[in-house]
Amino acid sequence: MNILLLGVKVPFHVNFQQVDLRFYVKRLERGEWKHGLIFIKEISPKYALWS
């Protein structure tokens, strides 16, 4: 993952591990199945990404 802040790479934040807690969901709307994604939390060890 490449992190950019205003188009500039952030030092020490170019390559790192990350965990996404997400759910894939679907619902029936007007006879058609709609698919979606819900993000609960993104966990990253880099401090600059927490803000």
Side-chain angles (χ1 to χ4, degrees), residues 13-29:
H13 289 75
V14 177
N15 295 313
F16 57 90
Q17 296 292 320
Q18 133 183 356
V19 175
D20 292 326
L21 179 57
R22 57 183 151 182
F23 293 95
Y24 294 93
V25 295
K26 64 180 180 178
R27 67 181 175 157
L28 189 60
E29 183 177 308

